[in-house]
Amino acid sequence: MDLNGKHIVLGLTGGVACYKAAYLCRLLVKEGAKVQVVMTEAAAQFITPVTMQALSNRTVYVSQWDAREPNNMAHINLSREADAILVAPASADFMAKLLHGRADDLLSLMCLARPLERVPLLLAPAMNREMWAHPATQRNMAQLRADGAHVLGVGEGDQACGETGDGRMLEPEELLEDLIAHFQPQVLSGRRVLISAGPTYEAIDPVRGITNLSSGKMGFAVARAARDAGADVTLVAGPIHLDGPRGVRRINVRSALEMDAACRAHADQADVFIATAAVADWRPASAQTQKIKKQGDGQVPSLAFVENPDILAAIAASERARSGALYCVGFAAESQDLEAQATAKRLRKGVPLLVGNIGPATFGQDDNALLLIDAQGTLEMPRNSKQALARMLVAEIAKRLPVSGAA
Ligand code: CTP
């Protein structure tokens, strides 16, 4: 659980998106967080404190005059124990108020009274598209950022008022992701990371092809972990039906040749290349432009194959990789003798770090076990969720990079 032991103050201000805050509260609790809900009077017009109390399993605070705290200083007590304050939804009015350091209700009082260096403030704006686009709102957000608040993005789409545009509050799952990201060490800050992920699809004819069972989950988890660690991430993805991760530049490809072209095009600007893709080793020598028809006489078509380029080996042999400006990481999906096979593969591919896993045991699953192999030896990462392993892997990669600016 990514928020285990974290103490989150979830602030609600007036807006229809309060209904989403109820679900967000559940998600935070499920992720292990202790959630203290604080609502403005306006928020209580949209959703009741009773609902939020039931979901958070804690008393909800609304008023700064609430006498339940022995010292009558809820704004101090609650903000001192918080690891973060997340205001979701944050209304235009509430942000305007924060900007001026006003503190005439419990939530704004807490935001002002929080220890700036220790308790981050995350704001999830939610408002009508005209209010969002208004220069006053944009100006306020710029100033709030300058004052140290983290203003999260907004969604685009249908709004409660019937209009369509920017300004919807992000979905609860997205806010949870952003909050978790906020707690990750920024070990790849300023680094550009290129990741290949998923299978490739090699066409035989317009309706058939050859592919493999890679789900792309590990590659997507690595992309998310790298993004959360502060990297600028480009993800070259084979045909997989996974969303996101948000904030990652995604390039969709189908065949190994397309993946090769996309990776080469971006490798020049990358500091790290992580090849998680299960690239098809071969492709049909010539893809038919028309569907191959069954003859009905028992004859089967004979297919000839040619080898696909080895994307990782070629990039690892490039000038930038050999000079240390581009750090290459390979993956090895083996079915047996993991350590021996992966050790040999690391040398064959010419990469400083190779990550081995047992392919059939991990394809499509949400968890995995990894074996890291570099020139120094091996490091075992026991079975865990792919996301947790991806975070550990990112930390290991970061340790091996040249000091920023030195390459
Ligand atoms: N790889 C690649 N291009 C290829 C084949 C593999 O970039 N044409 C990369 C994979 O993304 C992975 C690593 O090389 O990071 C090893 O992939 P794997 O399929 O395990 O190895 P192969 O070289 O195909 O060797 P084999 O299938 O014989 O085990």
Side-chain angles (χ1 to χ4, degrees):
M1 291 194 291
D2 280 328
L3 294 177
N4 232 345
K6 293 278 187 249
H7 191 124
I8 309 297
V9 169
L10 176 61
L12 277 67
T13 69
V16 185
C18 278
Y19 80 93
K20 292 193 202 173
Y23 187 51
L24 172 62
C25 180
R26 274 197 71 189
L27 292 180
L28 295 173
V29 170
K30 268 176 82 177
E31 211 52 56
K34 203 154 80 170
V35 182
Q36 175 60 61
V37 176
V38 178
M39 301 171 69
T40 63
E41 296 276 354
Q45 296 288 325
F46 290 89
I47 187 169
T48 68
V50 176
T51 301
M52 297 308 293
Q53 177 172 350
L55 291 172
S56 64
N57 202 21
R58 287 167 83 91
T59 339
V60 169
Y61 286 81
V62 178
S63 163
Q64 70 270 46
W65 310 120
D66 191 324
R68 282 172 297 179
E69 290 291 303
N71 60 358
N72 218 323
M73 291 191 201
H75 65 294
I76 300 291
N77 305 347
L78 303 183
S79 66
R80 294 303 179 270
E81 33 180 61
D83 291 300
I85 301 176
L86 168 61
V87 181
S91 67
D93 179 58
F94 187 74
M95 292 197 295
K97 186 191 243 184
L98 281 188
L99 167 77
H100 291 286
R102 289 183 50 205
D104 59 356
D105 65 70
L106 179 58
L107 187 56
S108 55
L109 191 56
M110 275 181 62
C111 292
L112 191 67
R114 81 186 200 282
L116 259 183
E117 69 296 343
R118 196 163 54 74
V119 183
L121 172 64
L122 292 86
L123 303 170
M127 65 198 72
N128 161 271
R129 66 189 175 103
E130 299 291 358
M131 293 166 73
W132 170 255
H134 197 285
T137 304
Q138 294 298 321
R139 193 171 57 232
N140 290 351
M141 287 193 306
Q143 187 56 52
L144 282 167
R145 285 195 178 101
D147 290 348
H150 303 272
V151 185
L152 306 176
V154 289
E156 190 266 342
D158 294 342
Q159 304 201 311
C161 51
E163 298 180 2
T164 305
D166 287 339
R168 285 168 58 100
M169 188 171 83
L170 291 176
E171 296 306 316
E173 292 83 356
E174 295 174 324
L175 291 174
L176 175 70
E177 225 187 90
D178 285 357
L179 183 65
I180 291 170
H182 194 78
F183 287 116
Q184 304 308 314
Q186 298 297 288
V187 289
L188 290 181
S189 172
R191 309 278 192 176
R192 292 156 306 173
V193 176
L194 173 66
I195 298 167
S196 70
T200 63
Y201 176 90
E202 312 299 325
I204 294 173
D205 69 16
V207 296
R208 305 183 182 91
I210 295 169
T211 186
N212 60 63
L213 290 175
S214 165
S215 63
K217 284 182 181 170
M218 192 66 217
F220 274 52
V222 173
R224 180 177 165 192
R227 175 206 65 187
D228 291 355
D232 173 44
V233 181
T234 301
L235 176 66
V236 177
I240 29 183
H241 304 287
L242 290 176
D243 284 341
R246 284 182 311 124
V248 161
R249 197 175 305 104
R250 175 169 175 175
I251 300 165
N252 289 323
V253 296
R254 208 156 86 125
S255 65
L257 289 180
E258 285 174 19
M259 185 173 275
D260 183 48
C263 288
R264 280 171 189 267
H266 288 85
D268 277 354
Q269 300 99 53
D271 304 305
V272 182
F273 174 44
I274 310 173
T276 72
V279 185
D281 290 318
W282 312 282
R283 65 179 182 278
S286 56
Q288 302 298 314
T289 50
Q290 304 293 332
K291 183 182 173 194
I292 303 171
K293 301 297 284 183
K294 186 168 67 181
Q295 297 307 324
D297 56 3
Q299 293 271 334
V300 291
S302 63
L303 293 174
F305 289 91
V306 290
E307 195 170 293
N308 273 323
D310 191 318
I311 305 169
L312 176 62
I315 290 178
S318 69
E319 181 54 40
R320 289 190 70 239
R322 281 188 291 119
S323 71
L326 172 64
Y327 188 85
C328 291
V329 182
F331 266 68
E334 306 296 343
S335 58
Q336 56 186 348
D337 299 336
L338 183 57
E339 185 169 344
Q341 300 274 6
T343 303
K345 196 167 278 182
R346 185 182 84 82
L347 298 173
R348 207 165 63 237
K349 301 271 175 182
V351 293
L353 180 63
L354 193 110
V355 183
N357 62 161
I358 296 289
T362 177
F363 280 169
Q365 306 290 315
D366 288 325
D367 58 3
N368 199 356
L370 303 179
L371 182 71
L372 273 56
I373 297 174
D374 67 6
Q376 275 63 53
T378 60
L379 174 68
E380 227 175 294
M381 290 186 178
R383 190 152 283 280
N384 207 328
S385 73
K386 287 186 175 174
Q387 196 56 66
L389 290 169
R391 292 200 198 289
M392 291 188 255
L393 174 61
V394 157
E396 288 298 326
I397 293 172
K399 276 193 221 163
R400 290 164 170 79
L401 297 181
V403 178
S404 214

